């Protein structure tokens, strides 16, 4: 069965700092990869997804993620964070077939301070 | 709003009572998922449907839990004889059949507090 590890439980950054959140997955086959964000009091929203093609994926709000197959990683990045990026970020994986459900990591809480 | 809709949004119940949550997926989405999320954890898969067929159930789904999607549209998740450990947010999500680039969309969740 697949699993997802998010290495950072809580990250605190100042505004304008660069962000990188780690995500590693465990699965031997082809996968679809996702980053979801959950702002305080709101529902899970998709930031970006990788299905195939260019391993550097750009999402909403200036976020991007790079799929490195050899490292089983899908790290999330943003060059300059804003206070409004304060949220919980979840990495998730699904086998390419789509016949097993999305598996989430435990999440990383990002706090951006002014 | 044509997103995934869940109700009630919050439910406080006494231990031992039964509760039922409803999920209305995005129209024409044939996949419907239920997840559970507790504080400090990521969503954990419970079960999913393709149309009206329940295709997979997690080991987290004890005998006290039952989910239905009778007409392949809305779904209900019932918890019988609730326990304090059932306190969590119950998330519903829907999609077209994944594996072809389709996104899974989540509802706002139903908070359950068992006292």
């Amino acid at each position: 069965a697949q699993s997802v590890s998010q290495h950072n439980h809580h990250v605190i950054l100042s505004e304008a700092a660069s962000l990188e959140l780690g995500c590693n997955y465990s699965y031997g086959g082809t996968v679809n990869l996702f980053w979801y964000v959950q702002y305080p009091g709101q529902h899970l929203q998709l930031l970006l997804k990788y299905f195939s093609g260019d391993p550097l994926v750009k999402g909403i709000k200036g976020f991007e993620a790079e799929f490195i197959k050899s490292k089983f990683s899908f790290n999330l990045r943003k060059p300059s964070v804003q206070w409004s990026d304060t949220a919980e970020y979840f990495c998730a994986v699904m086998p390419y077939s789509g016949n097993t459900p999305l598996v989430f990591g435990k999440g990383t809480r990002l706090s951006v301070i002014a | 709003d044509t997103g995934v809709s869940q109700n009630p949004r919050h439910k406080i119940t006494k231990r031992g009572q039964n509760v039922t949550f409803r999920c209305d997926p995005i129209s024409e989405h044939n996949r419907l998922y239920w997840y559970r999320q507790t504080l400090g954890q990521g969503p954990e898969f419970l079960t999913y449907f393709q149309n009206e067929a329940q295709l997979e159930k997690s080991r987290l789904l004890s005998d006290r839990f039952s989910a239905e999607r009778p007409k392949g549209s809305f779904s209900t998740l019932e918890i019988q004889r609730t326990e304090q450990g059932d306190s969590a947010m119950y998330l519903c999500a829907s999609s077209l059949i994944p594996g072809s680039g389709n996104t899974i969309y989540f509802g706002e969740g139903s908070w359950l507090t068992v006292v």
Side-chain angles (χ1 to χ4, degrees):
Chain A
Q2 62 269 29
S3 65
V4 178
S5 296
Q6 291 184 245
H7 314 297
N8 309 104
H9 182 62
H10 188 192
V11 172
I12 302 173
L13 293 174
S14 299
E15 278 192 307
S18 64
L19 169 72
E20 182 159 2
L21 300 182
C23 172
N24 285 90
Y25 67 92
S26 171
Y27 183 73
T30 305
V31 293
N32 302 322
L33 295 158
F34 307 79
W35 275 97
Y36 281 84
V37 61
Q38 191 169 31
Y39 298 104
Q42 296 188 27
H43 63 288
L44 281 164
Q45 301 172 42
L46 183 70
L47 265 183
L48 47 79
K49 60 185 179 183
Y50 171 80
F51 278 74
S52 63
D54 188 344
L56 184 62
V57 179
K58 295 194 183 298
I60 61 171
K61 305 185 180 185
F63 286 90
E64 64 178 31
E66 185 175 12
F67 171 47
I68 303 179
K69 189 175 180 180
S70 61
K71 295 185 178 180
F72 297 89
S73 70
F74 191 55
N75 292 354
L76 181 71
R77 300 194 292 249
K78 186 171 184 178
S80 175
V81 294
Q82 300 173 311
W83 178 81
S84 58
D85 293 324
T86 295
E88 189 104 22
Y89 292 81
F90 295 95
C91 182
V93 64
M94 172 187 282
Y96 190 75
S97 66
N99 289 328
T100 53
L102 204 55
V103 174
F104 285 86
K106 292 189 175 183
T108 297
R109 184 155 61 101
L110 173 65
S111 298
V112 180
I113 54 178
Chain B
D1 189 327
T2 57
V4 178
S5 175
Q6 293 187 244
N7 66 80
R9 293 290 314 281
H10 299 91
K11 178 73 175 179
I12 300 174
T13 190
K14 290 183 178 179
R15 190 175 50 172
Q17 297 294 305
N18 299 343
V19 296
T20 299
F21 300 112
R22 176 179 169 126
C23 172
D24 288 90
I26 293 172
S27 179
E28 297 179 356
H29 277 189
N30 37 30
R31 283 275 178 99
L32 186 148
Y33 304 85
W34 285 100
Y35 283 79
R36 181 174 71 185
Q37 187 177 16
T38 53
L39 285 175
Q41 300 294 318
E44 297 171 296
F45 168 73
L46 292 178
T47 187
Y48 84 94
F49 294 83
Q50 183 163 310
N51 300 314
E52 66 275 9
Q54 189 171 16
L55 295 188
E56 188 172 339
K57 293 194 289 186
S58 159
R59 292 173 188 173
L60 291 176
L61 213 67
S62 75
D63 291 344
R64 297 184 296 105
F65 288 69
S66 62
E68 294 182 341
R69 195 184 183 197
K71 297 181 181 179
S73 57
F74 73 92
S75 175
T76 58
L77 176 68
E78 181 183 18
I79 309 173
Q80 296 181 323
R81 305 181 304 281
T82 52
E83 301 173 357
Q84 287 188 323
D86 297 332
S87 296
M89 180 183 311
Y90 291 86
L91 295 167
C92 179
S94 73
S95 73
L96 296 170
I97 293 177
S100 56
N102 293 314
T103 297
I104 297 174
Y105 295 90
F106 283 82
E108 294 186 326
S110 293
W111 273 108
L112 173 64
T113 301
V114 182
V115 297

